[in-house]
Amino acid sequence: MMNLELTRVQISSFREKGFLRLERITSDVDIAALRVSYDRIFADRAGSDDGFHFDLSGADREEGTEARLPQILMPAKYAPEMNDSELLANSTRIARQLLGDEARCSIAHAILKPAFNGAETPWHQDAAYWNPNTLARSISIWVPLQDATLENGCMHFVPGSHELDVLPHRSIGGNTSVHGLELAGSALQNVRSPVACPVPAGGCTIHGGYMLHYAGANRTEQPRRALILGAEIDGLPRSEPRSFPWQDAWKTEAGEKRANAIQ
Ligand code: NI
């Protein structure tokens, strides 16, 4: 196993700009094994029945129609071998360097952009999805399972935007039966001088919950596979209670299935 440690320069760059790009976070052998698990759970439509597998970019669809941005939440629930990956071990080590020794890390999402058909992931902040009354202290480690390029949907960031609070969002296209969120209206003016971050297979990008980010559509003939690991320490309560209207407006079928599964 690789002994992976961030340098002081990398850590201070992350603090200053709000994101980081690593050429390597795990081995090619590990990536190859993760791809096998990843393809299996998407082929099996794992998580469809309990609302953990849905189209992030569209309303819930009839069985058999192709999703443009299929996502599986907590993919290791359906592929437990992912929890034994070098990727998770290395990500945990990195998360502890950035957040502290108590950081918890897990494989949070799998997001697939099918060949020629993957929708773009519009500009958003991850914290727009989360509890409005908590100041999140978290990072996301975005790991492509093949090279991530401008053509197949690599990540883009706005340096310094991690200092922002949550900006106004809405469901993609204003359709409240869509789970995916995008910056709403004039909030898009905050997207200034974005930086594209292509990374080779085995590398990753890292960003915090308030960072503005975007990933392009997949215009290539190969699927673009990505795993997103989430790491956090306990958030801090905000003094002023608030709600996010875009969350109150959510009416997604997958969300109802998840709520029913929890009850
Ligand atoms: Ni995101």
Side-chain angles (χ1 to χ4, degrees):
M1 197 174 284
M2 297 187 255
N3 191 5
L4 201 69
E5 213 158 275
L6 300 178
T7 64
R8 259 200 243 166
V9 172
Q10 287 173 315
I11 293 172
S12 63
S13 172
F14 179 76
R15 303 241 184 280
E16 186 194 325
K17 294 187 184 145
F19 69 94
L20 200 56
R21 177 184 171 283
L22 302 183
E23 287 279 320
R24 262 294 160 197
I25 187 167
T26 193
S27 66
D28 294 342
V29 170
D30 195 45
I31 289 291
L34 286 164
R35 274 172 69 137
V36 171
S37 304
Y38 188 101
D39 287 348
R40 186 185 75 238
I41 58 176
F42 275 102
D44 290 351
R45 295 179 170 264
S48 299
D49 294 340
D50 48 9
F52 280 65
H53 184 164
F54 52 89
D55 188 351
L56 192 57
S57 74
D60 298 292
R61 279 154 212 274
E62 294 294 312
E63 193 79 8
T65 59
E66 202 192 352
R68 295 189 64 211
L69 194 54
Q71 151 160 291
I72 299 177
L73 302 178
M74 313 299 289
K77 204 176 145 186
Y78 311 102
E81 69 278 11
M82 285 181 166
N83 282 329
D84 300 325
S85 60
E86 278 178 74
L87 173 64
L88 180 57
N90 289 340
S91 297
T92 303
R93 206 169 303 139
I94 286 173
R96 290 184 175 161
Q97 278 193 277
L98 292 173
L99 296 170
D101 285 343
E102 66 276 40
R104 304 172 293 271
C105 188
S106 65
I107 304 175
H109 313 273
I111 302 183
L112 175 65
K113 295 200 179 200
F116 294 124
N117 192 29
E120 65 171 22
T121 315
W123 285 101
H124 68 280
Q125 294 163 296
D126 293 336
Y129 287 88
W130 303 339
N131 183 342
N133 293 310
T134 301
L135 182 68
R137 295 189 293 176
S138 65
I139 57 169
S140 294
I141 303 176
W142 186 90
V143 184
L145 301 186
Q146 68 294 300
D147 296 346
T149 63
L150 285 174
E151 293 73 34
N152 74 359
C154 69
M155 293 284 270
H156 296 62
F157 300 107
V158 176
S161 63
H162 62 304
E163 307 278 6
L164 296 167
D165 195 358
V166 176
L167 298 166
H169 283 66
R170 64 174 196 165
S171 280
I172 294 172
N175 178 349
T176 55
S177 60
V178 174
H179 180 75
L181 297 173
E182 62 184 11
L183 284 184
S186 60
L188 270 167
Q189 289 168 7
N190 291 279
V191 178
R192 291 190 205 105
S193 311
V195 173
C197 281
V199 271
C204 71
T205 62
I206 303 175
H207 66 276
Y210 297 85
M211 165 56 57
L212 283 169
H213 58 289
Y214 162 93
N218 179 9
R219 299 188 180 84
T220 70
E221 62 196 7
Q222 296 296 325
R224 193 230 62 185
R225 306 165 181 88
L227 284 174
I228 297 96
L229 290 92
E232 61 176 354
I233 57 174
D234 289 345
L236 301 172
R238 285 176 48 91
S239 45
E240 292 289 309
R242 62 176 176 179
S243 65
F244 290 154
W246 53 90
Q247 293 185 358
D248 299 335
W250 262 331
K251 286 184 307 230
T252 68
E253 210 178 286
E256 275 170 35
K257 282 185 194 165
R258 287 198 301 280
N260 290 334
I262 288 161
Q263 278 164 13

